[in-house]
Amino acid sequence: MPALRVAVAGATGNIGARTATALERAGHDVVRISRSLGVDLTTGDGLDAALTGVDAVVDATSHEATDRDETVAFFAVTTRNLLTAEARAGVRHHVLLTIVGVHRIEGNAHYAGKREQERLVADGPVPWTVVPFTQFHDFAATVVSWTEQGGVATIAPLLVQPIAPSDVADVLAEIATGTPQGHYRDVAGPEPQDLVDMARRTNDARGHTVELVPTWSSIFGTEMAGDVLLPGDGARIAPTTFDEWLAGPQ
Ligand SMILES: NC(=O)c1ccc[n+]([C@@H]2O[C@H](COP(=O)([O-])OP(=O)(O)OC[C@H]3O[C@@H](n4cnc5c(N)ncnc54)[C@H](OP(=O)(O)O)[C@@H]3O)[C@@H](O)[C@H]2O)c1
């Protein structure tokens, strides 16, 4: 395959950084986009220069907020700015990292933002692939960090089928260097897990002592109970188990 020039938006983030590395390992040129690298998708500053000569863009940006309107506005503005600049630059493929189940769960602010992002990409001017992933292997630790106070953290017993961040990056790098596919099938890890159990095992592996309180009355409510976060039929299953990830460098 000839080398492509691929821009990764959110390239300093958990998945963006790994995707940039995976693309370079496969011999492609990578343009890294993030505010700390001088490109702001909210204002568009630096974007036209960054996209010069770019063939494909992976959007792996994120925004941590609990306010629904603010979250939807962030994803709408950044996605519009990115797609408009891509159309100007002649980018031929926009790849969006999204989440399995966002269309089944109404109340979550982040999910509302991701639905808006998906809608704009599907209606947008650049040929696209939207790729839904399940929760990442480090998601339990992230959720604990949101609520931990005085050695106690609340966490919902979500049923998930988590995936290793490096596997997410490999899939995104592969898709970005192929042809646009529209809505891609769900991508998940190999085994279902309970989020509370994942948090306990992550804390044990990291020597982090925290009392976990399982509850549906904290960040996640019961609309996220049951099978809603699990991948659909025909999902692509990535190889790395949660235990393999826990045992390795994180
Ligand atoms: N966590 C999960 O389990 C999970 C599962 C499935 C899908 N996802 C999705 O995966 C995506 C990536 O998540 P992540 O955890 O890898 O994110 P992350 O580590 O929080 O990284 C976010 C990235 O976005 C950049 N960014 C934020 N605002 C920006 C702006 N205005 N302009 C340019 N860059 C900006 C950040 O860099 P600067 O701060 O330097 O700007 C950073 O590089 C998210 O969209 C999330 O919905 C997450």
Side-chain angles (χ1 to χ4, degrees), residues 9-16 33-37 39-43 59-64 74-75 78 97-100 110 114 117 132-139 142:
T12 55
N14 183 20
I15 300 303
I33 289 176
S34 85
R35 287 168 304 182
S36 53
L37 299 173
V39 185
D40 189 337
L41 295 180
T42 304
T43 60
D59 186 354
T61 52
S62 196
H63 183 66
E64 258 189 34
F74 170 85
F75 282 115
T78 54
L97 158 56
T98 189
I99 310 174
V100 166
H110 188 76
K114 299 300 288 184
Q117 208 180 18
F133 290 89
T134 53
Q135 285 62 43
F136 309 148
H137 283 339
D138 53 14
F139 184 64
T142 303

